[in-house]
């Protein structure tokens, strides 16, 4: 093999794996990596490291490939950790490289040196390494990429001392890993037998369905056994067409409410989800007596901690294909379709219901929707149905500041317009990503629902008799003016009479080539009904 440098070998690996869009915020310990930067690579600058990770995550979800992220030493990794946590919980494949001081200085505790760098991002990465030798860097990065892309996918971390990039190393040949695996025929046959014999089956669809592009297989199974279909609590993805007659709604992250929704079913099959994602304490059992759970997911750790049911450790597409082939087509009556709320016909102020009804009227069916408005998530799910695989992204993990950069990265993946619905509190965690959206002309429409504070926290406070909750008022931010300061065109509306024209400009009137746009809407506060869904 021809001897080359670590940097040259790494560039070849990134090119072979399709990671030629690099997201980051550079510093002194990364500079040598950028020597002779190749013309076919694009560097996407985030003005804060969490924004860079969020944009990389959106790009990875849009392309289906791992994204490459460059962070600066300990401070950059620390700034990014909330977004790394989201990427880990939401199974987003990222290859994260952080700069470390020169090997000759590490023992001297230098400025910008990182003590125990591999421990810093754990446990929220699948792999964490600092190569023992400079020559090992390309091989470790190749291994990290394979780990990131193996189900369950997720972020990986490699710390690279800054003088390693100029050292000699051997080129690394990219190789594929075929990572689909399935449960045994006996396990799938036993599940098929239970579905054949049961009276009322249900499927619970989690983010793993979207992650594995398994919607056709889920649709085939649901229609064959006539199962009611629910979305798992606080799912970060879409996974089933919400206008389908078998779709029943969204499970709440409260034990008693979740068990109540699933109590009518005698067999529940959970697909790519932990099912029991709770947000507030509740002494209720996970499932009502008489409800039997089967759980299909590629993560053995998740299978180990689930409190009830039978887990099949498997990727979804091959398992569901085999299951649909052996289960009998059912003649049972399907569950009644859920009842949708009536559209708002008149209002004297902007409410979330009115805004989201009007947004739905203007939203093309193939438009990608990103959401980070926790106060209004139930209303959005009720009034803006998502009907295509990959059509919805949010934070399934709860660390705010994910949605805005996620939307930017997702738009850069295929240059198709994304609509991003944000709360005012969420937007301020990562507003720096507006600058990147402008510089790269990312086709994103940001709709900021401004209720003057952290409405979800207020609502949860009222659940446990804490009212008022200190530190939840954040009014007085001019989001349209802030966006304009970054160079992003913006509008605002405060009255129902202004809403239609503003949405027409921001949603219907913009094409994929028109770059970003922000719409600032002053809306009424929430009524405190968080996790009390509108339909049962």
């Amino acid at each position: 093999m021809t001897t080359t440098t670590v940097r040259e070998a790494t560039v070849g690996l990134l090119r072979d794996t399709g990671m030629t869009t690099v997201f980051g915020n550079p510093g002194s310990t990364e500079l040598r990596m950028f020597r002779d930067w190749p013309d076919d690579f694009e560097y996407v600058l985030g003005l804060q490291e969490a924004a860079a990770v969020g944009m990389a995550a959106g790009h990875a979800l849009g392309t289906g490939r791992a994204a490459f992220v460059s962070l600066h030493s300990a401070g950059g990794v620390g700034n990014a950790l909330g977004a790394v946590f989201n990427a880990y919980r939401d199974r987003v494949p990222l290859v994260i490289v952080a700069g470390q001081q020169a090997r000759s200085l590490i023992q001297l505790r230098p400025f910008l040196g990182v003590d125990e760098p591999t421990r810093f991002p754990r446990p929220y990465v699948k792999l964490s390494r600092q190569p023992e030798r400079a020559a090992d860097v390309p091989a470790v990065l190749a291994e990290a990429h394979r780990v990131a892309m193996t189900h369950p996918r997720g972020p990986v971390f490699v710390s690279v001392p800054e003088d390693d990039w100029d050292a000699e190393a051997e080129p690394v040949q990219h190789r594929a890993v075929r990572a689909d695996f399935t449960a045994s025929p006996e396990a799938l046959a036993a599940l098929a037998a239970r579905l054949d014999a049961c009276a009322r089956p249900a499927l619970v669809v989690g983010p793993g369905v979207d992650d594995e592009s398994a919607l056709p297989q889920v649709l085939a199974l649901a229609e064959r056994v006539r199962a009611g279909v629910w979305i798992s609590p606080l799912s970060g993805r879409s996974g089933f067409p919400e206008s389908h007659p078998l779709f029943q709604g969204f499970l709440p992250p409260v034990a008693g409410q979740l068990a109540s929704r699933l109590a009518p079913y005698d067999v529940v099959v959970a697909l790519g989800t932990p099912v029991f994602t709770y947000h507030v304490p509740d002494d209720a059992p996970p499932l009502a007596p008489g409800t039997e759970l089967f759980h299909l997911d590629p993560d053995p750790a998740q299978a180990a901690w689930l409190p009830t049911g039978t887990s099949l450790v498997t990727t979804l597409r091959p398992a569901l294909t085999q299951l649909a082939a052996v289960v009998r087509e059912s003649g049972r009556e399907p569950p009644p379709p859920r009842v949708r709320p009536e559209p708002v016909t008149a209002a004297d102020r902007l409410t979330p219901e009115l805004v989201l009804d009007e947004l739905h009227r203007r939203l093309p069916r193939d438009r990608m929707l990103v959401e980070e408005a926790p106060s209004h998530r139930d209303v959005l799910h009720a009034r803006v149905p998502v009907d295509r695989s990959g059509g919805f992204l949010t934070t399934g993990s709860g660390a705010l500041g994910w949605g805005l950069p996620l939307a930017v990265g997702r738009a850069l993946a295929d240059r198709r317009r994304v609509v991003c619905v944000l709360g005012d509190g969420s937007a301020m965690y990562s507003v720096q990503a507006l600058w990147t959206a402008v510089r790269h002309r990312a086709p994103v429409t940001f709709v900021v629902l401004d209720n003057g504070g952290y409405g979800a926290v207020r609502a949860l406070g009222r659940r446990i008799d804490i009212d008022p909750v200190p530190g939840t008022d954040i009014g007085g931010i001019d989001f349209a003016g802030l966006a304009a300061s970054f160079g992003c065109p913006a509008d605002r509306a405060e009255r129902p009479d202004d809403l239609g024209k503003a949405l027409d400009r921001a949603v219907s009137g913009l094409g994929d080539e028109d770059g970003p746009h922000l719409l600032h809407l002053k809306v009424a506060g929430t009524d405190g009904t968080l996790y009390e869904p509108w339909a049962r």
Side-chain angles (χ1 to χ4, degrees):
M1 280 189 173
T2 302
T3 300
T4 186
T5 66
V6 168
R7 182 185 62 260
E8 291 166 340
T10 298
V11 166
L13 174 68
L14 296 182
R15 189 176 284 124
D16 290 344
T17 54
M19 295 190 293
T20 56
T21 301
V22 175
F23 298 84
N25 185 281
S28 58
T29 54
E30 295 78 55
L31 286 178
R32 294 174 192 260
M33 185 177 70
F34 301 127
R35 191 192 306 276
D36 301 323
W37 189 246
D39 293 337
D40 59 327
F41 279 47
E42 182 177 23
Y43 190 91
V44 179
L45 172 62
L47 299 186
Q48 204 267 2
E49 289 86 354
V53 172
M55 290 187 292
H59 196 266
L61 293 174
T63 62
R65 302 188 301 267
F68 190 84
V69 188
S70 170
L71 301 179
H72 177 47
S73 190
V77 175
N79 287 340
L81 279 180
V84 175
F85 165 77
N86 278 340
Y88 180 79
R89 287 288 177 86
D90 290 354
R91 299 183 179 181
V92 183
L94 302 176
V95 177
I96 301 169
V97 172
Q100 165 69 300
Q101 262 291 9
R103 289 183 184 268
S104 61
L105 294 178
I106 290 175
Q107 179 58 31
L108 303 177
R109 303 298 192 273
F111 181 70
L112 295 177
V114 187
D115 296 332
E116 301 184 72
T118 61
R119 294 184 63 184
F120 199 1
R122 288 192 180 276
Y124 298 115
V125 288
K126 292 182 66 181
L127 172 148
S128 187
R129 294 274 300 278
Q130 180 169 288
E132 298 296 327
R133 305 178 305 155
D136 296 332
V137 170
V140 169
L141 286 172
E143 178 189 356
H145 176 265
R146 292 190 288 269
V147 171
M149 288 297 292
T150 301
H151 292 293
R153 303 191 302 177
V156 295
F157 176 82
V158 180
S159 170
V160 180
E162 63 97 15
D163 53 347
D164 282 6
W165 296 105
D166 292 331
E168 290 187 348
E170 297 291 341
V172 175
Q173 183 176 1
H174 170 57
R175 63 183 184 85
V177 175
R178 302 295 183 185
D180 288 346
F181 59 93
T182 189
S184 69
E186 293 80 9
L188 293 170
L191 174 54
R194 288 297 297 120
L195 286 169
D196 289 341
C198 74
R200 296 175 305 280
L203 305 182
V204 176
V205 170
V209 169
D210 199 31
D211 188 47
E212 295 191 39
S213 301
L215 175 58
Q217 290 78 13
V218 174
L219 268 171
L221 178 63
E223 291 172 351
R224 190 166 183 81
V225 302
R226 299 193 179 186
V229 181
W230 294 83
I231 298 292
S232 62
L234 300 176
S235 177
R237 314 271 187 97
S238 56
F240 197 81
E242 296 169 26
S243 297
H244 194 284
L246 291 174
F247 183 66
Q248 301 296 293
F250 299 82
L251 291 174
V254 182
Q257 293 181 27
L258 187 153
S260 175
R261 303 297 188 279
L262 297 179
Y265 307 101
D266 51 348
V267 171
V268 174
V269 181
L271 304 171
T273 173
V275 191
F276 306 111
T277 301
Y278 302 141
H279 192 190
V280 294
D282 189 326
D283 293 333
L287 290 174
T291 300
E292 183 180 5
L293 176 70
F294 291 86
H295 169 245
L296 281 64
D297 192 84
D299 186 359
Q302 189 178 103
W305 69 253
L306 250 63
T308 188
T310 299
S311 288
L312 283 65
V313 179
T314 178
T315 52
L316 297 180
R317 284 198 298 176
L320 291 171
T321 299
Q322 294 182 48
L323 186 60
V326 296
V327 74
R328 292 200 302 265
E329 186 164 3
S330 175
R332 65 173 64 90
E333 282 294 315
R338 68 172 185 164
V339 179
R340 294 195 172 278
E342 292 295 324
V344 176
T345 56
D348 58 1
R349 58 179 182 165
L350 288 186
T351 64
E353 291 81 3
L354 175 64
V355 169
L356 294 170
D357 277 348
E358 293 300 320
L359 175 64
H360 179 225
R361 291 191 182 101
R362 292 163 173 81
L363 199 65
R365 290 178 62 86
D366 64 347
R367 185 69 77 225
M368 162 62 64
L369 181 66
V370 175
E371 174 268 324
E372 192 174 84
S375 304
H376 314 301
R377 182 169 299 169
D378 288 346
V379 178
L380 182 141
H381 282 324
R383 296 177 179 273
V384 188
V386 175
D387 285 324
R388 71 179 185 91
S389 179
F392 176 74
L393 297 172
T394 186
T395 169
S397 312
L400 294 183
W402 185 243
L404 198 159
L406 191 75
V408 175
R410 180 62 185 83
L412 293 177
D414 59 10
R415 289 285 170 181
R416 298 184 63 198
R417 182 157 295 276
V418 172
V419 173
C420 178
V421 178
L422 299 163
D424 49 333
S426 299
M428 289 305 298
Y429 276 76
S430 53
V431 72
Q432 304 93 334
L434 287 176
W435 183 91
T436 307
V438 171
R439 292 305 177 274
H440 291 267
R441 293 195 58 78
V444 185
T445 294
F446 302 99
V447 180
V448 179
L449 304 181
D450 179 5
N451 62 6
Y454 298 118
V457 179
R458 293 170 181 160
L460 286 168
R462 286 191 288 270
R463 277 187 67 93
I464 56 176
D465 298 321
I466 301 174
D467 191 15
V469 179
T472 55
D473 294 328
I474 56 170
I477 301 171
D478 180 0
F479 285 95
L482 184 58
S485 75
F486 286 116
C488 178
D491 289 315
R492 59 173 59 83
E494 298 188 16
R495 301 180 304 162
D497 292 345
D498 302 326
L499 178 63
K501 290 182 179 179
L503 285 172
D504 286 340
R505 286 193 297 271
V507 178
S508 307
L510 294 174
D512 297 340
E513 70 286 349
D514 292 320
H517 189 96
L518 183 140
L519 177 58
H520 179 190
L521 301 176
K522 294 284 289 184
V523 298
T526 59
D527 62 3
T529 57
L530 205 63
Y531 308 147
E532 294 292 345
W534 55 272
R536 296 295 184 261

